[in-house]
Amino acid sequence: SPGAIMEHFTLNFTTTNLMFTSDLQTPNSRKFRSTEKIMKHYIDSLLQKSSIGPHFTGCNVTGFRSGRHRDDTKVDAVCSYRDNASLARFHREKLYQELSTMTNNVTKLGHYSLDRSSLYLDG
């Protein structure tokens, strides 16, 4: 829409049943690309169902990092949405609550288990 500005926010969480391996740090590896595709699907599906859904334009998984435990992998993503003065403002707290609810109190994302205290939104 005219006058719309592309805005971004970061989304981070930790899976507890995806073992971190060095090939998850390598963006061109097969493991990185396949895991990135799956995560992007789950994240995009959630955000399309959220309050920013009509304005949501997509997320890019920017990386995977080692978690505290052997089976933990931290997931980093940058998400985008269109914003302008006539649209509802981005409310980080509201979106956080929606995502918490949609992930069963931050415990499930598709077939991945989540660390309940790991969901983080910034934007």
Side-chain angles (χ1 to χ4, degrees):
S1 58
I5 299 168
M6 197 64 88
E7 298 283 351
H8 307 281
F9 62 94
T10 58
L11 173 64
N12 311 97
F13 56 89
T14 301
T15 64
T16 60
N17 62 338
L18 172 63
M19 185 183 296
F20 181 80
T21 57
S22 61
D23 50 351
L24 280 174
Q25 283 183 301
T26 308
N28 292 328
S29 74
R30 185 179 315 178
K31 174 99 174 183
F32 180 97
R33 287 193 314 266
S34 65
T35 307
E36 172 192 36
K37 184 178 180 179
I38 293 164
M39 287 298 173
K40 180 175 172 33
H41 167 76
Y42 287 143
I43 296 167
D44 285 356
S45 294
L46 273 183
L47 289 169
Q48 287 168 349
K49 295 173 190 169
S50 75
S51 59
I52 69 163
H55 315 293
F56 176 67
T57 58
C59 289
N60 289 315
V61 174
T62 57
F64 300 101
R65 297 177 284 132
S66 176
R68 272 186 285 213
H69 305 288
R70 192 173 147 218
D71 290 335
D72 292 0
T73 297
K74 296 180 180 209
V75 180
D76 302 319
V78 174
C79 303
S80 304
Y81 65 99
R82 285 185 296 283
D83 190 20
N84 69 24
S86 66
L87 298 176
R89 300 292 309 156
F90 174 75
H91 293 286
R92 182 176 59 185
E93 295 83 9
K94 180 180 179 183
L95 183 57
Y96 178 90
Q97 288 303 321
E98 290 175 335
L99 293 179
S100 293
T101 301
M102 291 189 280
T103 57
N104 196 28
N105 292 319
V106 193
T107 60
K108 280 297 227 192
L109 179 64
H111 63 271
Y112 293 104
S113 297
L114 302 178
D115 175 339
R116 289 187 72 137
S117 62
S118 68
L119 181 62
Y120 178 75
L121 283 170
D122 185 28

